[in-house]
Amino acid sequence: MELMNEMTSTIGYADDTLLQQIEEKFQYKKKLAKHREEELFSVLNQELTDEERLLLKYLYAYMPIHDLADYDGEFFLAHVRRTLATRQEMPWGKQIPDYIFMNFVLPYRVNNENIDDNREVIYHELVDRVKDKPMMEAILETNYWCHEKATYVGTDQRTVSPLTLVRTALGRCGEQSTLAVAALRSVGIPARQCYTPRWAHCDSNHAWVEAWADGTWYFLGACEPEARLNEGWFKAPSRRAMLVHTRVPADYNGPEETCSSHPWYTEINLLGNYAPHKTITIRVVNEQGEATSAEVHFQMYNFAEFYSVTTLPTDDNGQVAFTTGYGDLLIHVRNAQGYGFRHITVGDADTFTVTLQSELQIHDMMEFDMAPPPEIPDKSENRMTDEERQANDRRVQHGTATRAAYEATFMSEAEANSLAGKLSLAADRVWTVIRNARGNSHEIAAFLETNIPKHGEWPLRLLEALHEKDTQDTMNETLTDHLEGALSYLEQVKDEDLFTAYVLCPRAHYEMIKPYRTYFQTNLTAEEKAAYAANPQRLVDRLANDITIESRIDRYNGMITPVGVFQLKKADRLSRDICFVAMARSVGIPARLEPLNIRPQFWQNGIWQDAVFHGDATEPAASQPAEPSNNAEAASGAIVFARSEGEQEASYYLNFTIARFENGTYRTLTFPYGEKDMYNKPYEVLSGNYRMTTGTRLSDGTVLVRLSFFTVHAGDTTTVPVVFRKEEIHVPILNTVSAEQWSRMTDKVSLDITEQGLVLAWLDPEREPSKHLARELRELKIELDQWGGRIALMVESQRNRSEFKLEGMPEHTTYSVDEDGLSLQALLPSLPEWNGQEYPLVVVMDQQHRIRYQLQGYKLGTGSDILKTVCNMQ
């Protein structure tokens, strides 16, 4: 499937409209960042070429506030000069149109990662590998380099920098694609990160890369190289996407459709490159049937909530158009007069009308099905040849070995145990933080070795209080700042657990950990520290007075460092609240962001008190993503989740969530992902109106949705039954494996089929879909052990690239190498749809060798499908 959107027009740097936009927005940012004018803008006083000056202003013009707060002008000037030099040095530099160069080579960040000086570092690693190749081959070679550096693992939502990913060698798809885009841009190749914000057919999302070569955009799977461009395991699921988009930090005027035009960035809709699609129109009317302007949220069911994949304003006639796939959406609209929502099936009509209600409509319950776009077979006849696949397999195997050799330089368990013995610490605790630190393990070890003799086990307790990912990119200097800046308050707080979690720990949310204690302790007077300790609300009032909330610019909240907030005096609300937590902890006040509603709080008189920022606005600007609401003055009540007899187990973000109605929309509460033990105990929440979403995901991706509405009154406890719609499970007989086939399948591989049946799965262990399946089997270990059947995981010899660990797998799981794929070949006559290229391949057989389930390729929820199948085979 080739991307046909040819890029033939050239804007050029001298376009008058573009120049005017850049200058106006540069001047606005310069005024906004007046408190850091010297650090940011003094570089413009240097001797610059006209091109350097324009491109530097261009970066400033569209820069997010968090970069204005946390980086200096010298960084951005060095970036511009490195990028221009690369354009001159690489053979393709002159053929790239200026507007492609500005939007897809020049930008120093890809998404919401922590930025670093990766362009200079990666350029020198890559340039000799690609400089003599045609652009398409250079793109492929760059992705082989990325595979040598990193492979997939699920991690938390903070996106690490490209060089951190190289240091750790593991990251989620958003981090892998950030690395790949950064690597391509480092050698002057235009690239962009593409997202499906949420899949419709399963509970996840995905990010990959598009790269430009010779006038055409091509796609590739980041860190998962193929022999050709426009190939990847996500190719089949992308045909079921409802939206694929990329974000450009500019007033972009390229040929693609805009799906969200923001004053400071543009989101462009790339769905047409991947999936069948149509353009629908949403018409918003008031209760009298009159057209009215509103904000329209296009929402998909995913992770048991309704997630806005994009938000668009209507025109003056109350209409807005959106191009999407042929599945179902929940359309939620709001304006100052009210709100409304409607479930739609995109294929049913071209225009859908949604009515705004002036008052909250309290329903008892609503039920409907959310259907994804249908599965579309790949009818391409231009498949990769065996020779191409084999050559790619060899390169992938080489990359895996290269990465494994690097990972061998990480500290080993024996080294960690030796360190623990030297420092008189528990070996298992030391090994846990050392193992988590991966490529940063020696830095963490140095921190412990330096500080344990002086401070006892507190350095270790600090590391244990961090997120796993924090140990991978937090340096000794930063850790020492937080350790020494906190320990002087230990006697003041007294409760060691309270001290550890809410004074010693530097993390408040998902921000990058940076040093801040020495800065605040130096910049606050003794009188101020004493006053804030006596009454923490005085610190809240100071920040409310000093910090101006600016929520109209940045796409992501909570990314400004505490010192950056304090210096710039401009911040989104979440960054301001994190700054409060940081400053409070810096002067010995236990502080936190309350986990369900992300409210800033401080500990006083033995209880958590809300930090009340008087004057906070509660309504975000139109078409802006809503920030976590302070809600500090709202009263509290409690909810108790109840489980009725026969109901399936509830798991938060997996099959149920609750959301509070705020400012015309429903905001999901942030209970821990996957939390199950939630019944029959009270949870303190803000009073107000709530919606519970429960969903039963069927094997074809359809979700049986149930919405329950309830009210929590101040001071009262509300019991909420968690009710699911029931799935009628039928396990068909798809085919039968003959005795002769079974004999061939078991000729060289030991397979044991019991009366409970057998699960067979051929994996490609280096690829994300197979890793997802392995994770799901581990998560369902208890249930699959209760079933008691056998699970046989296999890998064809040519895909046997790295060690596969059985730790945590269901009890009766084996892992075998299928030499030359002989067992798979024996099974193929019973699998007419197998195309030989999509992994994992999963087959469930009953005791009579009848195939009761088959899946090939990527689908989150395969583990649940397997469990439903084996428990309902007759």
Side-chain angles (χ1 to χ4, degrees), residues 31-83:
K31 181 179 179 181
L32 185 147
K34 63 183 180 181
H35 293 291
R36 297 195 76 239
E37 183 171 2
E38 176 67 21
E39 295 91 335
L40 284 165
F41 306 115
S42 62
V43 292
L44 291 165
N45 298 326
Q46 297 182 25
E47 186 175 341
L48 306 175
T49 67
D50 291 343
E51 188 175 30
E52 288 173 343
R53 186 173 301 275
L54 170 62
L55 296 182
L56 189 55
K57 283 188 171 184
Y58 175 81
L59 292 182
Y60 283 129
Y62 298 99
M63 190 175 292
I65 295 176
H66 45 89
D67 292 344
L68 292 171
D70 290 325
Y71 300 91
D72 294 343
E74 290 291 349
F75 172 86
F76 301 115
L77 177 58
H79 175 86
V80 167
R81 287 176 168 167
R82 171 73 268 167
T83 306

Side-chain angles (χ1 to χ4, degrees), residues 251-315:
D251 289 294
Y252 182 71
N253 54 356
E256 299 94 344
E257 174 188 311
T258 295
C259 60
S260 178
S261 185
H262 187 278
W264 303 100
Y265 56 84
T266 306
E267 290 180 342
I268 55 178
N269 193 341
L270 305 175
L271 183 64
N273 295 331
Y274 300 93
H277 55 281
K278 69 177 289 190
T279 300
I280 59 173
T281 298
I282 303 300
R283 179 173 177 264
V284 182
V285 299
N286 60 23
E287 290 168 303
Q288 290 73 45
E290 302 164 334
T292 184
S293 299
E295 177 182 283
V296 181
H297 296 251
F298 295 84
Q299 298 183 330
M300 291 170 54
Y301 176 96
N302 198 283
F303 289 122
E305 66 172 345
F306 282 96
Y307 176 85
S308 296
V309 293
T310 194
T311 301
L312 296 171
T314 66
D315 59 22

Side-chain angles (χ1 to χ4, degrees), residues 741-766:
Q741 284 179 283
W742 182 251
S743 176
R744 288 169 52 207
M745 288 175 63
T746 57
D747 183 34
K748 294 187 176 181
V749 175
S750 176
L751 296 176
D752 181 17
I753 192 164
T754 68
E755 63 181 55
Q756 290 88 2
L758 172 67
V759 176
L760 290 164
W762 279 265
L763 308 180
D764 189 345
E766 276 288 291

Side-chain angles (χ1 to χ4, degrees), residues 411-689:
M411 284 187 67
S412 67
E413 184 172 6
E415 291 172 310
N417 290 344
S418 175
L419 177 65
K422 178 181 177 181
L423 299 176
S424 300
L425 296 171
D428 58 335
R429 293 173 65 192
V430 173
W431 172 232
T432 297
V433 296
I434 292 295
R435 182 186 61 227
N436 291 344
R438 295 183 59 77
N440 203 40
S441 55
H442 295 285
E443 184 85 4
I444 297 301
F447 168 72
L448 289 173
E449 196 161 11
T450 300
N451 288 284
I452 289 291
K454 294 187 290 186
H455 301 294
E457 73 165 19
W458 284 109
L460 179 58
R461 294 185 67 172
L462 168 60
L463 294 171
E464 291 171 332
L466 298 174
H467 290 176
E468 178 178 321
K469 188 180 286 186
D470 296 332
T471 62
Q472 298 167 3
D473 62 359
T474 307
M475 299 294 114
N476 198 332
E477 178 184 3
T478 298
L479 293 167
T480 300
D481 170 84
H482 290 295
L483 175 69
E484 296 182 346
L487 285 180
S488 59
Y489 296 101
L490 177 58
E491 292 303 317
Q492 176 180 310
V493 177
K494 293 184 174 58
D495 183 322
E496 288 192 357
D497 291 337
L498 183 70
F499 172 82
T500 301
Y502 302 114
V503 176
L504 176 66
C505 179
R507 168 161 302 293
H509 193 53
Y510 285 99
E511 72 280 10
M512 175 72 176
I513 301 297
K514 291 288 188 180
Y516 58 70
R517 296 189 201 248
T518 301
Y519 177 86
F520 288 129
Q521 289 167 356
T522 302
N523 283 273
L524 296 176
T525 67
E527 291 77 12
E528 288 171 331
K529 296 174 190 175
Y532 300 152
N535 182 5
Q537 184 61 40
R538 294 183 65 177
L539 175 58
V540 179
D541 294 341
R542 173 176 178 168
L543 291 178
N545 182 66
D546 289 355
I547 309 301
T548 301
I549 297 299
E550 177 54 80
S551 60
R552 300 169 298 166
I553 294 177
D554 289 2
R555 173 63 179 85
Y556 294 99
N557 299 312
M559 290 193 64
I560 311 178
T561 65
V563 173
V565 171
F566 192 80
Q567 291 181 339
L568 191 69
K569 302 188 186 304
K570 298 281 195 308
D572 61 272
R573 186 176 294 112
L574 180 56
S575 292
R576 188 274 316 274
D577 293 350
I578 291 171
C579 179
F580 160 74
V581 172
M583 291 186 71
R585 292 181 183 179
S586 295
V587 295
I589 303 168
R592 70 175 189 177
L593 297 182
E594 179 271 333
L596 294 187
N597 295 283
I598 321 300
R599 291 180 292 167
Q601 295 180 326
F602 54 84
W603 183 263
Q604 191 177 43
N605 299 324
I607 60 171
W608 287 108
Q609 309 265 11
D610 288 329
V612 180
F613 287 88
H614 297 289
D616 267 8
T618 58
E619 178 70 18
S623 299
Q624 297 295 301
E627 296 186 64
S629 177
N630 192 339
N631 287 306
E633 298 180 87
S636 297
I639 56 174
V640 173
F641 297 113
R643 182 179 185 179
S644 302
E645 185 176 351
E647 283 291 343
Q648 69 184 79
E649 185 175 45
S651 183
Y652 205 76
Y653 283 127
L654 294 180
N655 57 17
F656 97 106
T657 57
I658 62 170
R660 184 173 184 265
F661 189 75
E662 298 172 2
N663 307 322
T665 60
Y666 285 95
R667 179 186 60 82
T668 302
L669 271 61
T670 54
F671 289 99
Y673 176 84
E675 184 76 21
K676 293 182 179 180
D677 183 21
M678 300 186 70
Y679 293 113
N680 303 320
K681 54 186 177 183
Y683 290 93
E684 182 181 345
V685 297
L686 296 173
S687 59
N689 296 295

